[in-house]
Amino acid sequence: EFIEDLVSVEGVIASLDRDKDYRTQLTKWKDIDCNVVAQYFLVDMMRQFFIDGFFHADPHPANLYMLKGSRLGYLDFGIIGEVGQNRITMLHMLHAISERDMYAVAKSFFGFARFAFADYIDVMERLEPSASKETYKKALEKIEEIMVDNLVASLHDIFDPWYRSVD
């Protein structure tokens, strides 16, 4: 289907960098409110992840388009993700981010790793009958313990500027 009057998010970002009045022009000429589109994008990504259980996994500006009436269009569904059992872990991570608790963010991040490694641990157990699942779990816990402090420092580097911008 051909849709007229698509405005690429990539183009909007470039135009906003060049022209401080572009946001007003976009609202006037195309009936597009960037704030409304941004909020819709966040809500829609959460809907995809938490309700639908699958999501567009490549939503960079070249794959997003704004339409008249502050609507949002997605292109290129070549990469999608399926959530599985990670929904609760992601909720814990988002809550920790909102509370500015980088230690809890790091622990949630490693929660994803535990899900990811669970199948590998089962395979290793079958290949090495003498090895136990507990042995692998303990090894992963030790790795997590060692890495969490470094991750917390990196998370501060990522999130602190954002937190300062919204304070």
Side-chain angles (χ1 to χ4, degrees), residues 121 123-136:
I121 291 171
V123 168
M124 291 300 291
E125 234 180 356
R126 279 184 256 132
L127 293 174
E128 295 181 42
S130 63
S132 74
K133 188 179 274 191
E134 264 325 292
T135 303
Y136 290 113

Side-chain angles (χ1 to χ4, degrees), residues 1 7-8 20 23 25 34 36 49 56 62 66 72-73 75 79 94 99 107 131 135 137 141:
E1 173 182 353
V7 178
S8 77
K20 64 180 177 156
R23 182 186 300 260
Q25 295 165 3
C34 292
V36 170
F49 191 92
H56 189 299
M66 297 182 195
L72 181 66
L75 293 178
I79 304 173
L94 291 173
E99 294 292 321
K107 295 297 276 183
T135 303
K137 283 184 180 178
E141 287 170 5

Side-chain angles (χ1 to χ4, degrees), residues 21-33 68:
D21 295 323
Y22 184 72
R23 182 186 300 260
T24 304
Q25 295 165 3
L26 196 59
T27 303
K28 182 178 177 182
W29 296 336
K30 301 280 187 178
D31 188 28
I32 295 173
D33 183 328
K68 187 175 187 168

